[in-house]
Protein backbone atom coordinates (compact mmCIF):
# COMPACT_ATOMS: atom_id res chain seq x y z
CA UNK A 1 0.00 0.00 0.00
CA UNK A 2 2.77 2.43 0.95
CA UNK A 3 4.55 2.42 -2.39
CA UNK A 4 1.40 2.79 -4.38
CA UNK A 5 0.21 5.57 -2.15
CA UNK A 6 3.54 7.37 -2.57
CA UNK A 7 3.27 7.02 -6.35
CA UNK A 8 -0.25 8.31 -6.25
CA UNK A 9 0.72 11.31 -4.16
CA UNK A 10 3.73 12.09 -6.34
CA UNK A 11 1.75 11.91 -9.53
CA UNK A 12 -1.16 13.85 -8.09
CA UNK A 13 1.24 16.52 -6.82
CA UNK A 14 2.88 16.91 -10.21
CA UNK A 15 -0.43 17.30 -11.92
CA UNK A 16 -1.93 19.64 -9.34
CA UNK A 17 1.24 21.74 -9.51
CA UNK A 18 0.27 22.76 -12.99
CA UNK A 19 1.44 21.14 -16.20
CA UNK A 20 -1.12 19.51 -18.36
CA UNK A 21 -4.16 20.64 -16.41
CA UNK A 22 -3.06 24.18 -15.60
CA UNK A 23 -5.37 25.75 -18.13
CA UNK A 24 -8.44 24.39 -16.37
CA UNK A 25 -10.02 26.05 -13.36
CA UNK A 26 -9.49 24.59 -9.90
CA UNK A 27 -12.72 22.63 -9.88
CA UNK A 28 -12.07 21.32 -13.38
CA UNK A 29 -8.63 20.15 -12.26
CA UNK A 30 -10.16 18.33 -9.33
CA UNK A 31 -12.62 16.48 -11.52
CA UNK A 32 -9.78 15.48 -13.82
CA UNK A 33 -7.71 14.27 -10.90
CA UNK A 34 -10.46 12.13 -9.50
CA UNK A 35 -11.05 10.67 -12.94
CA UNK A 36 -7.37 10.02 -13.56
CA UNK A 37 -6.68 8.54 -10.15
CA UNK A 38 -9.61 6.46 -9.00
CA UNK A 39 -9.90 6.33 -5.25
CA UNK A 40 -8.53 2.84 -4.82
CA UNK A 41 -5.14 3.87 -6.24
CA UNK A 42 -4.43 5.58 -2.90
CA UNK A 43 -5.51 3.72 0.25
CA UNK A 44 -6.27 0.11 -0.56
CA UNK A 45 -8.34 -2.66 0.94
CA UNK A 46 -6.05 -4.84 3.06
CA UNK A 47 -6.29 -8.61 2.74
CA UNK A 48 -8.04 -10.40 5.58
CA UNK A 49 -5.19 -12.89 5.93
CA UNK A 50 -7.67 -15.76 6.34
CA UNK A 51 -10.65 -17.15 4.48
CA UNK A 52 -14.15 -15.76 4.86
CA UNK A 53 -15.28 -18.98 6.54
CA UNK A 54 -12.33 -19.20 8.95
CA UNK A 55 -14.41 -17.87 11.85
CA UNK A 56 -17.42 -20.15 11.36
CA UNK A 57 -19.69 -20.85 13.12
CA UNK A 58 -19.12 -17.80 15.33
CA UNK A 59 -18.94 -15.23 12.53
CA UNK A 60 -20.39 -16.52 9.27
CA UNK A 61 -18.65 -16.41 5.90
CA UNK A 62 -21.31 -14.28 4.19
CA UNK A 63 -21.06 -11.61 6.88
CA UNK A 64 -17.27 -11.57 6.60
CA UNK A 65 -17.37 -11.29 2.83
CA UNK A 66 -19.87 -8.44 2.74
CA UNK A 67 -18.23 -6.72 5.69
CA UNK A 68 -14.76 -6.80 4.11
CA UNK A 69 -15.49 -6.57 0.39
CA UNK A 70 -18.38 -4.10 0.52
CA UNK A 71 -18.48 -2.14 3.78
CA UNK A 72 -14.74 -1.77 4.35
CA UNK A 73 -14.08 -1.02 0.68
CA UNK A 74 -16.75 1.70 0.71
CA UNK A 75 -14.99 3.51 3.57
CA UNK A 76 -11.72 3.40 1.64
CA UNK A 77 -13.27 4.68 -1.57
CA UNK A 78 -14.88 7.60 0.22
CA UNK A 79 -11.71 8.35 2.20
CA UNK A 80 -9.72 8.54 -1.02
CA UNK A 81 -12.33 10.82 -2.58
CA UNK A 82 -11.94 13.17 0.40
CA UNK A 83 -8.14 13.12 0.59
CA UNK A 84 -7.70 13.82 -3.12
CA UNK A 85 -9.42 17.17 -2.59
CA UNK A 86 -6.89 18.41 -0.03
CA UNK A 87 -3.21 18.42 -0.99
CA UNK A 88 -2.07 19.13 2.58
CA UNK A 89 -3.45 15.75 3.68
CA UNK A 90 -1.91 13.66 0.93
CA UNK A 91 1.38 12.99 2.70
CA UNK A 92 -0.29 11.80 5.90
CA UNK A 93 -0.56 8.19 6.94
CA UNK A 94 -3.94 6.74 7.82
CA UNK A 95 -3.02 6.91 11.51
CA UNK A 96 -2.03 10.57 11.23
CA UNK A 97 -5.26 11.39 9.42
CA UNK A 98 -7.28 9.66 12.12
CA UNK A 99 -5.37 11.12 15.07
CA UNK A 100 -5.63 14.73 13.89
CA UNK A 101 -9.34 15.03 13.08
CA UNK A 102 -9.75 18.41 14.78
CA UNK A 103 -7.00 19.94 12.62
CA UNK A 104 -8.42 19.02 9.21
CA UNK A 105 -10.10 21.60 6.97
CA UNK A 106 -13.75 21.97 7.88
CA UNK A 107 -14.86 21.01 4.37
CA UNK A 108 -13.55 17.44 4.65
CA UNK A 109 -13.30 16.92 8.41
CA UNK A 110 -16.45 14.83 8.64
CA UNK A 111 -15.47 12.69 5.65
CA UNK A 112 -12.06 11.91 7.17
CA UNK A 113 -13.66 11.22 10.55
CA UNK A 114 -16.23 8.79 9.15
CA UNK A 115 -14.31 7.12 6.34
CA UNK A 116 -10.75 7.40 7.69
CA UNK A 117 -12.11 6.08 10.98
CA UNK A 118 -13.93 3.34 9.11
CA UNK A 119 -10.78 2.29 7.26
CA UNK A 120 -8.58 2.33 10.39
CA UNK A 121 -11.15 0.54 12.57
CA UNK A 122 -11.82 -2.27 10.12
CA UNK A 123 -8.14 -2.77 9.24
CA UNK A 124 -7.51 -3.11 12.98
CA UNK A 125 -10.51 -5.35 13.60
CA UNK A 126 -9.58 -7.98 11.00
CA UNK A 127 -6.25 -8.59 12.77
CA UNK A 128 -8.06 -9.25 16.03
CA UNK A 129 -10.03 -12.21 14.72
CA UNK A 130 -8.62 -15.73 14.79
CA UNK A 131 -10.15 -18.98 16.01
CA UNK A 132 -8.76 -21.01 18.90
CA UNK A 133 -6.34 -18.69 20.60
CA UNK A 134 -6.30 -18.15 24.34
CA UNK A 135 -4.69 -15.60 26.63
CA UNK A 136 -1.16 -16.40 27.78
CA UNK A 137 -0.38 -16.48 31.50
CA UNK A 138 1.05 -13.01 31.08
CA UNK A 139 -2.17 -11.67 29.56
CA UNK A 140 -4.30 -13.46 32.15
CA UNK A 141 -2.34 -11.58 34.80
CA UNK A 142 -2.60 -8.26 32.96
CA UNK A 143 -6.38 -8.69 32.68
CA UNK A 144 -6.73 -9.77 36.30
CA UNK A 145 -4.60 -6.85 37.52
CA UNK A 146 -6.73 -4.38 35.56
CA UNK A 147 -10.23 -5.79 35.92
CA UNK A 148 -10.18 -8.19 38.90
CA UNK A 149 -10.63 -11.37 36.86
CA UNK A 150 -11.06 -12.59 33.30
CA UNK A 151 -14.78 -13.13 33.93
CA UNK A 152 -15.16 -9.60 35.25
CA UNK A 153 -13.31 -8.24 32.23
CA UNK A 154 -15.63 -10.07 29.84
CA UNK A 155 -18.71 -8.93 31.75
CA UNK A 156 -17.54 -5.31 31.72
CA UNK A 157 -16.65 -5.42 28.03
CA UNK A 158 -19.97 -6.98 27.06
CA UNK A 159 -21.84 -4.42 29.14
CA UNK A 160 -19.97 -1.60 27.37
CA UNK A 161 -20.62 -3.14 23.95
CA UNK A 162 -24.33 -3.52 24.76
CA UNK A 163 -24.48 0.12 25.85
CA UNK A 164 -23.54 1.46 22.40
CA UNK A 165 -26.79 2.94 21.10
CA UNK A 166 -27.04 2.46 17.35
CA UNK A 167 -23.77 1.98 15.50
CA UNK A 168 -20.33 2.03 17.06
CA UNK A 169 -17.45 0.17 18.63
CA UNK A 170 -16.31 -1.18 21.99
CA UNK A 171 -12.61 -0.84 22.79
CA UNK A 172 -9.91 -1.82 25.23
CA UNK A 173 -7.32 0.93 25.34
CA UNK A 174 -3.91 1.25 26.90
CA UNK A 175 -3.47 4.48 28.79
CA UNK A 176 -0.01 4.46 30.33
CA UNK A 177 0.32 0.97 31.83
CA UNK A 178 -3.38 0.67 32.59
CA UNK A 179 -6.08 -0.90 30.46
CA UNK A 180 -9.55 0.60 30.21
CA UNK A 181 -12.77 -0.23 28.38
CA UNK A 182 -14.44 2.46 26.32
CA UNK A 183 -16.88 2.87 23.43
CA UNK A 184 -17.28 5.12 20.42
CA UNK A 185 -20.14 6.09 18.15
CA UNK A 186 -20.16 5.49 14.41
CA UNK A 187 -16.55 5.14 13.14
CA UNK A 188 -14.88 7.22 15.84
CA UNK A 189 -12.04 5.62 17.78
CA UNK A 190 -9.89 6.39 20.84
CA UNK A 191 -6.95 7.56 18.70
CA UNK A 192 -8.94 10.58 17.51
CA UNK A 193 -8.11 13.88 19.17
CA UNK A 194 -11.85 14.58 19.35
CA UNK A 195 -12.49 11.47 21.48
CA UNK A 196 -13.72 12.03 25.02
CA UNK A 197 -11.57 9.09 26.17
CA UNK A 198 -8.28 8.71 24.32
CA UNK A 199 -5.75 5.90 24.36
CA UNK A 200 -4.09 3.27 22.23
CA UNK A 201 -6.47 0.47 21.24
CA UNK A 202 -5.31 -3.09 22.01
CA UNK A 203 -8.74 -4.58 21.25
CA UNK A 204 -11.82 -3.41 19.39
CA UNK A 205 -15.17 -4.86 18.46
CA UNK A 206 -17.47 -3.66 15.71
CA UNK A 207 -21.02 -3.54 17.04
CA UNK A 208 -22.64 -2.06 13.94
CA UNK A 209 -25.56 -4.27 12.91
CA UNK A 210 -23.75 -5.04 9.64
CA UNK A 211 -21.18 -6.95 11.71
CA UNK A 212 -23.69 -9.50 13.01
CA UNK A 213 -27.22 -9.06 11.67
CA UNK A 214 -27.24 -11.85 9.07
CA UNK A 215 -26.50 -14.50 11.68
CA UNK A 216 -27.66 -12.97 14.95
CA UNK A 217 -30.37 -10.53 13.77
CA UNK A 218 -31.18 -8.21 16.68
CA UNK A 219 -29.37 -10.37 19.27
CA UNK A 220 -26.20 -8.38 19.82
CA UNK A 221 -25.60 -10.19 23.12
CA UNK A 222 -25.27 -13.52 21.27
CA UNK A 223 -22.72 -11.98 18.89
CA UNK A 224 -20.73 -10.74 21.89
CA UNK A 225 -20.71 -14.22 23.41
CA UNK A 226 -19.56 -15.69 20.11
CA UNK A 227 -16.81 -13.08 19.73
CA UNK A 228 -14.79 -14.54 22.63
CA UNK A 229 -14.32 -17.70 20.53
CA UNK A 230 -12.59 -15.81 17.75
CA UNK A 231 -10.74 -13.07 19.61
CA UNK A 232 -7.06 -13.23 18.64
CA UNK A 233 -5.39 -13.08 22.06
CA UNK A 234 -1.96 -13.28 20.42
CA UNK A 235 -2.65 -9.99 18.67
CA UNK A 236 -4.01 -8.38 21.83
CA UNK A 237 -0.81 -9.36 23.65
CA UNK A 238 1.37 -8.09 20.80
CA UNK A 239 -0.43 -4.73 20.86
CA UNK A 240 -0.28 -4.53 24.65
CA UNK A 241 3.46 -5.27 24.63
CA UNK A 242 4.52 -3.03 21.74
CA UNK A 243 2.19 -0.01 21.95
MN1 LIG B 1 -18.08 -2.73 10.24
Amino acid sequence: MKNQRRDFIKTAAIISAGGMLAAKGASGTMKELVALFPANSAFELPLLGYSFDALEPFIDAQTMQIHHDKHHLAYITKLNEAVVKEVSLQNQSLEQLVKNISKHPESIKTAIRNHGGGHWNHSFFWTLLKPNTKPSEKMEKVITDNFGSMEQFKTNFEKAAMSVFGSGWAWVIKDGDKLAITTSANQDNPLMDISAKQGTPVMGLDVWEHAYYLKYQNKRADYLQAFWNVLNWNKVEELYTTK
Side-chain angles (χ1 to χ4, degrees), residues 190-217:
L191 289 175
M192 293 180 176
D193 62 0
I194 50 168
S195 268
K197 189 156 186 175
Q198 292 174 42
T200 304
V202 299
M203 191 177 136
L205 177 62
D206 189 342
V207 294
W208 283 57
E209 281 189 347
H210 70 222
Y212 63 86
Y213 202 86
L214 290 178
K215 184 174 176 74
Y216 298 100
Q217 292 83 48

Side-chain angles (χ1 to χ4, degrees), residues 67 71-72 75 118 122 125-126 169 187 206-208 210-211:
H67 202 172
H71 290 282
H72 189 175
Y75 293 117
H122 287 86
F125 184 49
W126 307 136
W169 291 73
Q187 295 297 352
D206 189 342
V207 294
W208 283 57
H210 70 222

Side-chain angles (χ1 to χ4, degrees), residues 159-229:
K159 195 174 161 191
M162 286 301 292
S163 79
V164 176
F165 181 74
S167 300
W169 291 73
W171 305 94
V172 179
I173 57 171
K174 194 175 171 189
D175 183 7
D177 279 343
K178 300 291 286 181
L179 292 181
I181 294 168
T182 186
T183 62
S184 65
N186 303 314
Q187 295 297 352
D188 286 359
N189 71 42
L191 289 175
M192 293 180 176
D193 62 0
I194 50 168
S195 268
K197 189 156 186 175
Q198 292 174 42
T200 304
V202 299
M203 191 177 136
L205 177 62
D206 189 342
V207 294
W208 283 57
E209 281 189 347
H210 70 222
Y212 63 86
Y213 202 86
L214 290 178
K215 184 174 176 74
Y216 298 100
Q217 292 83 48
N218 60 320
K219 299 184 285 290
R220 185 187 290 179
D222 290 357
Y223 165 65
L224 299 179
Q225 289 297 316
F227 167 64
W228 299 117
N229 294 288

